[in-house]
Amino acid sequence: MPTDRGDAEDLPRYRSVADDLRSRILDGRLSAGEALPKQQQLQRHYQVGRGTIQSAQQMLRDEGLLEDGAPGRAARVANRTTNLRPLAYYIAQAFTARHVVLDVWSLTTEQLSQAVRNEVEAILEGRRRPPETITVRVLLPDLTTSHPYPRHADDPADPRPLLRLRHVIRTYAGALEHSLTRLAERGLVGQVSVAIRGLPTIPGEKRYLINGTEMLTAYYWLERGQMQNNPDGASLDVIELRGGDLFRSTLDGADASEQARFEQVKLWFDTRWDEVAQPLQLD
């Protein structure tokens, strides 16, 4: 059982707690919609303080495994479509390979950045054996095109929603790049390549091609929402893109039709990367 005193590796307690809770969620011991034990019970079970439990739960919220809880109520396991897992699970599996290869097409890299950060921290802390090489290519909406979404619901010419999107793209793409380059700077991974390019379009779906054998797809839909924390203090009604659950397909045991689908998706990515996409300026 974890303790606040730390073990031989002196791991951050909240990560050890998060690792245990994550495994209980992913193997079904904690099912979708089920409430976690109350914070006081978790504190006694793991022999840690309240702040450690809160940090561990926030980490799992960032991974999409826990729902946002109401004050005074226990956190709940996120309701996800049966047998579908969050991106963090697949990224964790990807990092067990000797050579990690990720090709990504997405609106932002928010979830990817957080998932990769978890694996980088595990490597830095000695909890995960580092891969020999990491190669990451990311396609995102460019930072100059006047994309149709997100937009103000009543004033499509209002630039603030698009400026916010550009800020989010820069923030998380920069964090992703920083996390991975740390491994090269520390000499833990022999070769690290991170390239981020922009396309003059908004994605209709997000795709992750993982280690050449696995593909994850999730679709975006339009949704009305509120954009908060604007510099002028205003709250905006916006129409924005929301992403759904990830659907997985793999080349392992795939028939000819599925193999052809993989080849077409890879061709889709490679041709846009080579012929259209331009390096994204993150600073």
Side-chain angles (χ1 to χ4, degrees):
M1 182 182 298
T3 70
D4 275 330
R5 295 188 300 274
D7 55 20
E9 293 178 303
D10 195 25
L11 302 180
R13 291 297 88 215
Y14 79 92
R15 288 190 175 275
S16 179
V17 173
D19 287 348
D20 185 61
L21 290 173
R22 184 189 300 108
S23 68
R24 292 166 65 185
I25 293 170
L26 294 179
D27 67 16
R29 283 177 287 165
L30 289 169
S31 58
E34 182 178 349
L36 266 62
K38 293 182 178 180
Q39 283 194 2
Q40 295 90 334
Q41 294 174 281
L42 291 173
Q43 287 175 232
R44 290 194 296 270
H45 177 74
Y46 292 106
Q47 299 180 14
V48 297
R50 181 182 179 187
T52 299
I53 297 300
Q54 291 176 333
S55 295
Q57 290 182 345
Q58 186 58 53
M59 184 175 181
L60 297 179
R61 287 190 187 94
D62 291 343
E63 296 174 10
L65 291 175
L66 293 183
E67 295 178 350
D68 292 331
R73 294 180 57 187
R76 289 184 177 274
V77 178
N79 279 299
R80 307 187 64 84
T81 305
T82 303
N83 296 329
L84 300 185
R85 299 179 184 272
L87 179 63
Y89 171 84
Y90 295 107
I91 296 301
Q93 296 301 306
F95 268 73
T96 64
R98 292 174 58 192
H99 303 283
V100 178
V101 181
L102 303 175
D103 284 341
V104 179
W105 166 226
S106 182
L107 181 65
T108 73
T109 59
E110 183 172 357
Q111 292 183 356
L112 178 64
S113 175
Q114 292 165 346
V116 167
R117 181 187 64 192
N118 292 342
E119 300 313 306
V120 169
E121 292 296 333
I123 292 171
L124 293 173
E125 294 164 2
R127 291 184 287 122
R128 180 180 292 286
R129 183 175 181 176
E132 296 176 16
T133 65
I134 300 175
T135 304
V136 177
R137 299 189 299 175
V138 181
L139 285 174
L140 296 168
D142 67 25
L143 302 174
T144 57
T145 299
S146 182
H147 300 296
Y149 303 104
R151 68 174 176 85
H152 194 299
D154 301 317
D155 181 10
D158 189 332
R160 288 175 291 180
L162 186 55
L163 291 174
R164 172 64 64 82
L165 173 64
R166 291 171 180 170
H167 172 71
V168 171
I169 288 173
R170 284 192 178 98
T171 298
Y172 288 104
L176 173 67
E177 186 178 53
H178 174 70
S179 290
L180 292 171
T181 54
R182 287 174 68 193
L183 297 177
E185 291 167 354
R186 300 284 184 90
L188 294 172
V189 177
Q191 179 181 330
V192 177
S193 173
V194 187
I196 301 172
R197 297 185 181 182
L199 286 176
T201 187
I202 286 285
E205 74 285 325
K206 64 175 74 174
R207 290 192 187 275
Y208 303 89
L209 296 171
I210 299 177
N211 294 345
T213 62
E214 189 172 35
M215 179 167 60
L216 308 175
T217 304
Y219 296 93
Y220 290 110
W221 62 85
L222 291 174
E223 183 174 283
R224 284 181 177 259
Q226 290 282 317
M227 195 177 89
Q228 309 284 350
N229 302 320
N230 294 291
D232 58 6
S235 175
L236 304 182
D237 291 323
V238 296
I239 300 175
E240 56 189 345
L241 295 174
R242 295 289 186 187
D245 285 312
L246 291 165
F247 295 90
R248 174 181 179 267
S249 53
T250 177
L251 278 178
D252 293 337
D255 59 19
S257 175
E258 189 67 8
Q259 292 177 15
R261 180 167 173 260
F262 264 81
E263 289 301 317
Q264 288 194 19
V265 171
K266 189 176 186 305
L267 184 63
W268 182 100
F269 191 97
D270 288 342
T271 54
R272 280 160 176 78
W273 183 269
D274 294 333
E275 304 296 338
V276 181
Q278 297 295 319
L280 213 60
Q281 299 300 319
L282 300 180
D283 52 359

